[in-house]
Amino acid sequence: MALRSFFAQDSSSLVVTSSSNGSIVGGAVINNSDTPNGTVFAYSGGAGTEVTLNDTGGGRNRFNDDRESDHVITDGGGIVADGAKVESESHILVRELDGNGNPTGPQIRIYVFSQDGQTSNVWGFATDLPLEAGKSYVKTGGQNTGTSRYSDYVTCFGEGTWIDTADGPVAVEDLSRGQRVWTKDSGAQPICWIAETSVRGTGAFAPVVFAPGAIGNDRELILSQQHRVHVELPVAEMLFGQADVLVAAKHLCGLPGVGIREQAVIRYFHFMFDRHHIVRSNGVLTESFFLAPGSVAALDRAQRRELLSLFPSLGRDSSRFGKTAAMTLTSGEARVLRGCMESRRGQVCLAAQ
């Protein structure tokens, strides 16, 4: 199997409010060829998840158009059925509309995903820049050939997170390359690469906030939605055969004190070792940056150039980075585990000992 995971949003979160093609007004985003330039969309936000599919086409990390039989959903995250045959149908280019109805800001590319070989049967989409909930966007262009690269969402820490190092706790924004950070299985390890990015803290980019003590953290912990938390509980071993697993932060939302908090701008940081490690952040165990297939493409040009200069082999085969430090749960598995954790309220504490 060639499993590929990426962040997708439910098509229902992007609705046509006006268009010269009146038949699509009031409906969710559809393929490029049926969407004229000038079409306006309203974005409601908050409807996204990690989706996993089996890519048997040998497309070197490409989600292809017109090859739906090569891409079968294994975990649709609740927005597309498991077993559905899917394709990256088309691209739509949009810009945000200001209060006067004029285009403003950068051009944003929307990748439209369809299923079952039907161009208009759209189930979701992804974007190369964040959309802001409550804003409207106008179509400025597009293309019918939708083939695109998979882009796993970059996992990162929010500013102010304290990371345990060989010299004691250090704020993540003050870490530097070469600094030795405490790891669960290998002692203090030097940071090989570190970077930061600032994005609008809305929709898929809004942070997950863990209130002090929510999972044993000693202060408020802020993570990106796909940043994984290390969970070690007996019930995990009963369910998945391993007591310690990694769970995306967004899949812990719903536990007491855990939720998504939208904000104007969020500053994220990520750092990497020579392989994947579990580190201690604000008193709990979380992951370091994991270089999954497709994740290099999610970095900006300067970060990508630096990373590939440090690890040249990753440009040829990112699988050489190795495996994750613990079993990673799918969204469906995470929902089951969270249900067990919710039934044991008051007993959930994942703090590092």
Side-chain angles (χ1 to χ4, degrees):
M1 297 179 70
L3 297 180
R4 302 287 184 252
S5 296
F6 55 97
F7 188 84
Q9 299 187 64
D10 194 316
S11 58
S12 64
S13 66
L14 192 62
V15 174
V16 176
T17 56
S18 68
S19 177
S20 58
N21 179 0
S23 66
I24 67 173
V25 175
V29 61
I30 201 168
N31 58 301
N32 175 70
S33 59
D34 290 332
T35 308
N37 287 353
T39 294
V40 176
F41 302 90
Y43 176 60
S44 58
T49 189
E50 184 174 281
V51 170
T52 302
L53 56 79
N54 183 18
D55 184 341
T56 60
R60 295 183 61 83
N61 295 326
R62 289 186 181 274
F63 190 9
N64 301 99
D65 189 6
D66 295 328
R67 287 171 56 179
E68 64 277 3
S69 294
D70 292 339
H71 307 85
V72 179
I73 295 293
T74 60
D75 185 352
I79 65 173
V80 60
D82 293 357
K85 298 178 180 180
V86 296
E87 58 187 297
S88 184
E89 182 62 48
S90 58
H91 299 172
I92 292 176
L93 304 177
V94 299
R95 293 182 67 196
E96 182 183 323
L97 292 176
D98 64 18
N100 296 317
N102 299 315
T104 185
Q107 181 172 266
I108 300 172
R109 185 179 298 269
I110 298 172
Y111 305 97
V112 180
F113 306 140
S114 65
Q115 59 183 316
D116 300 327
Q118 302 173 33
T119 60
S120 296
N121 192 357
V122 173
W123 56 269
F125 66 94
T127 61
D128 64 352
L129 291 172
L131 302 176
E132 184 173 352
K135 296 290 187 178
S136 292
Y137 296 84
V138 61
K139 182 186 175 187
T140 57
Q143 62 186 61
N144 294 335
T145 301
T147 298
S148 53
R149 292 185 180 276
Y150 297 105
S151 293
D152 289 350
Y153 188 72
V154 176
T155 59
C156 29
F157 296 91
E159 186 174 10
T161 302
W162 289 86
I163 306 298
D164 279 17
T165 76
D167 302 314
V170 175
V172 66
E173 60 268 29
D174 295 328
L175 292 175
S176 58
R177 189 189 302 173
Q179 191 157 10
R180 297 176 65 82
V181 170
W182 179 93
T183 68
K184 176 176 179 288
D185 298 316
S186 301
Q189 293 294 312
I191 294 174
C192 295
W193 176 85
I194 189 166
E196 66 175 273
T197 186
S198 294
V199 296
R200 290 174 179 167
T202 58
F205 298 89
V208 175
V209 178
F210 297 79
I215 55 173
N217 46 308
D218 54 23
R219 66 189 72 193
E220 184 178 80
L221 176 66
I222 299 175
L223 301 174
S224 63
Q225 293 183 28
Q226 299 299 335
H227 195 139
R228 291 172 291 203
V229 176
H230 182 269
V231 175
E232 187 169 1
L233 293 171
V235 68
E237 185 166 20
M238 288 191 299
L239 291 170
F240 313 116
Q242 293 189 31
D244 57 327
V245 294
L246 289 167
V247 184
K250 71 169 297 178
H251 295 144
L252 295 175
C253 290
L255 292 176
V258 184
I260 291 175
R261 184 174 69 197
E262 295 204 339
Q263 56 193 73
V265 176
I266 178 72
R267 190 180 177 202
Y268 285 128
F269 296 80
H270 33 260
F271 58 88
M272 189 176 76
F273 306 100
D274 60 353
R275 65 181 178 87
H276 194 231
H277 283 291
I278 305 299
V279 302
R280 188 184 287 123
S281 50
N282 287 6
V284 294
L285 299 181
T286 61
E287 66 172 343
S288 64
F289 181 86
F290 179 67
L291 197 62
S295 62
V296 173
L299 303 173
D300 67 35
R301 183 176 300 175
Q303 292 175 344
R304 187 162 57 247
R305 185 168 54 248
E306 178 188 35
L307 191 56
L308 292 177
S309 69
L310 290 170
F311 302 92
S313 65
L314 299 178
R316 300 186 297 273
D317 180 9
S318 60
S319 66
R320 298 183 187 186
F321 186 68
K323 299 179 180 180
T324 55
M327 177 184 179
T328 298
L329 298 190
T330 65
S331 59
E333 291 169 338
R335 284 193 293 271
V336 173
L337 181 63
R338 188 184 64 200
C340 294
M341 294 168 71
E342 288 175 333
S343 69
R344 293 167 171 77
R345 289 187 178 183
Q347 303 176 36
V348 177
C349 182
L350 312 181
Q353 299 299 319

